[in-house]
Every structure is written in structure tokens, then in C-alpha cells.
Amino acid sequence: MTLEHLVSVALGILLDGLAYGMILFIISVGLSVTMGLMGFVNLAHGAFAMAGGYVTVSLMSAMGVPFELALLAAFVLVGAASVVFERLLYARLYRAGELDQVLFTIGLVFMAIAAFTYVYGPAPKPIRVPHYLTGSVDLGFRTLAAYRVFMVALGAVMVAVLWYGIERTGLGAKVRAAVDNRHMAQSVGIDVDRLFTLTFALGSGLAALGGGLAVNLMGLTPTFAIQYLVFFLIVVAVGGPGSIKGAVVAAIVLGITDNAGKYLYPDGGAFFIYAATIALLLAKPAGLYGRD
């Protein structure tokens, strides 16, 4: 095996891992913030991602909506719908125990699976991405899949936007204050319940956006919400609940690790991402950037 071939393989693993990691980040970051803010165990977060995927596919196939507008519509529609769920259902269990929250949200997952299976059937739904995302990008020494390059670039933009929103805006300051000390934030006049509704809607909208983007790489079936749930939870646990930086680092590290393991040793399956998760949590039980 030549050095040129090794470099080519390494670049392929790195790009595919980054693209996968960015999808994990976009979907998981909202779950990280809401868990850090309210300590609510929302196992139904993946259902919002699945809903975003189906909204994107439906708008494109049934109404001919362009890919970019379909993604935006999924973000807005699912984010808005999540407010209804949050106010009517989730708010009732904010002060409940973790077991009640887990049972409630996992029940929502299975209800979502049944509902989407009834409407769309069990078969995977394909998506037709724009022509400019179906080809390859020639770097001179290697060609890379255009969609994966697009995912890495979009993920970088999303990281920058979210970092600015959390670190440089008044709303972000309130979110950080509530994550650090909810009771103190309430005592200085921050409406934490309203803040949670806003962040819940944003997180659900981002999950929907990630779900629409994931269809081309991860597929879309009614079991999506449960099939990838553990990966979203791993990102939150490894990065540390409530940490944007933690979600970014964890998603990238785990995405590259999982992709490299499956490429170099396909028979290992998901062993490598779980092994990396165990090692990281043994070293940092609170997560890479979590609070001890």
C-alpha cells in the first residue's frame, strides 16, 4: 500500500466521519441544551428528527419544493409543532422523576413510529438532492463526494451560528445563566419556563433540519427515532449536557471513530463507537465539558 493510497484512505475516513459527526451534532445539540437547562430526559428527541426527514421528503416529492426550502420548512414546522407538545405534554412532567420522564418520552417514540408507519409505510423513503450535491469535488489529489463536503461546510456554519447565539447575544446569556444555576436565574427575573419553551422549539427545529439532511446518508424509515436514539444520547453524555462545545467535539470524535472502525474492520459494527464512549466516560464521567 503506497503512501498516496494511505493518505487517500485517511482523507476519505476523515471526511465521511466529519459529515456523519455534523449530522449527529445538528440533531443532538438541542437535546444537549434542553437537558442541561431543565434536566429533562427527552428520549423522543429523535422523533422530531424523523418528523423533519418525512416533512422534507414529502414536500419535495408531493409538492416539488426545492431541497433547501424543504429543509427550512421542516425546521419551522417541526419547531412550531414542538411548542404545542412542550406546553401540553412535557410541561406536566418537568418536576417528575427521571423514570416518569423516560417512560413518557419513550412512549412518544413508539407512538411516533406507529403513526409514521401507518402514514408512510415501513419501506425506506428516498430523497433526490439537488444536482450540485450529487457529484464529486476534485481537490487535485482526490475527489470527494459533494454531499459530504456540503455537510461538513454546513456543520461548520451551524457551529459558528450557535456559538455566536449562545456566547454573544442576550438570549444566549440567559440560556447560559439558566444552565449554570436555574434558581439564581429565576431570582434575577429570567423567565426560565418561557426560555425553555424557546430553546425546546429551537432544538426540535434543529433536530428536524438534521433529520432532513440525514436522509441521504443514513436513510429514513419509521424506526429512525429509535434506531439512532442511542447515538444522540451518546453525543450528549460524552460532550456534557448543556455544552455546545461538548456537543461539537463529541459528535466529531464519535463520528470519525465510528466511521473509521466500520471502514477498517467492518465485522466490528458499532463496537468502536461504544468502546470510545466507555473510555471517554470513564475518564470524564461528567462529559468532556460537563459540570462535575
Side-chain angles (χ1 to χ4, degrees):
M1 185 178 292
T2 65
L3 178 60
E4 182 180 353
H5 181 67
L6 285 174
V7 171
S8 179
V9 170
L11 284 174
I13 291 173
L14 179 63
L15 179 68
D16 288 348
L18 280 173
Y20 181 40
M22 287 306 178
I23 287 179
L24 290 178
F25 165 72
I26 293 172
I27 295 177
S28 304
V29 65
L31 178 60
S32 177
V33 173
T34 54
M35 285 185 68
L37 179 60
M38 298 294 287
F40 190 92
V41 185
N42 181 22
L43 299 187
H45 190 75
F48 294 109
M50 179 177 69
Y54 276 108
V55 169
T56 302
V57 170
S58 298
L59 290 176
M60 292 180 66
S61 61
M63 303 176 62
V65 177
F67 178 65
E68 300 84 357
L69 290 180
L71 288 174
L72 179 60
F75 172 82
V76 173
L77 293 175
V78 175
S82 72
V83 174
V84 178
F85 280 90
E86 191 272 334
R87 286 290 86 199
L88 294 181
L89 300 176
Y90 283 80
R92 299 175 183 270
L93 281 91
Y94 285 162
R95 293 175 176 81
E98 288 84 357
L99 180 59
D100 293 327
Q101 295 173 1
V102 167
L103 291 175
F104 166 69
T105 54
I106 200 66
L108 288 181
V109 170
F110 288 115
M111 290 175 66
I113 291 173
F116 281 98
T117 301
Y118 178 80
V119 175
Y120 292 97
K125 289 295 179 182
I127 190 170
R128 180 173 295 179
V129 298
H131 178 71
Y132 67 88
L133 294 178
T134 59
S136 300
V137 177
D138 190 355
L139 300 180
F141 57 91
R142 179 180 170 83
T143 58
L144 302 174
Y147 194 81
R148 285 167 170 77
V149 174
F150 165 73
M151 276 306 312
V152 172
L154 179 62
V157 171
M158 292 296 300
V159 170
V161 170
L162 288 172
W163 175 85
Y164 181 85
I166 293 294
E167 299 293 334
R168 294 289 185 268
T169 67
L171 177 62
K174 292 179 180 179
V175 170
R176 284 185 283 114
V179 168
D180 288 338
N181 192 321
R182 178 185 177 185
H183 297 296
M184 183 61 71
Q186 288 177 315
S187 69
V188 298
I190 296 176
D191 188 343
V192 175
D193 290 337
R194 180 172 176 270
L195 186 64
F196 182 72
T197 299
L198 292 174
T199 55
F200 188 88
L202 177 61
S204 300
L206 286 173
L209 176 63
L213 292 166
V215 177
N216 192 50
L217 295 179
M218 300 162 66
L220 179 64
T221 66
T223 60
F224 181 95
I226 197 74
Q227 182 179 356
Y228 294 102
L229 171 62
V230 66
F231 295 102
F232 308 148
L233 293 174
I234 283 174
V235 170
V236 176
V238 171
S243 172
I244 302 294
K245 183 192 296 185
V248 174
V249 174
I252 291 175
V253 169
L254 295 172
I256 293 175
T257 300
D258 187 49
N259 188 67
K262 290 177 179 177
Y263 181 87
L264 298 174
Y265 188 65
D267 292 341
F271 169 81
F272 296 97
I273 192 172
Y274 293 126
T277 300
I278 292 170
L280 289 169
L281 289 178
L282 284 174
K284 300 279 290 184
L288 296 175
Y289 296 94
R291 293 170 295 166
D292 295 323

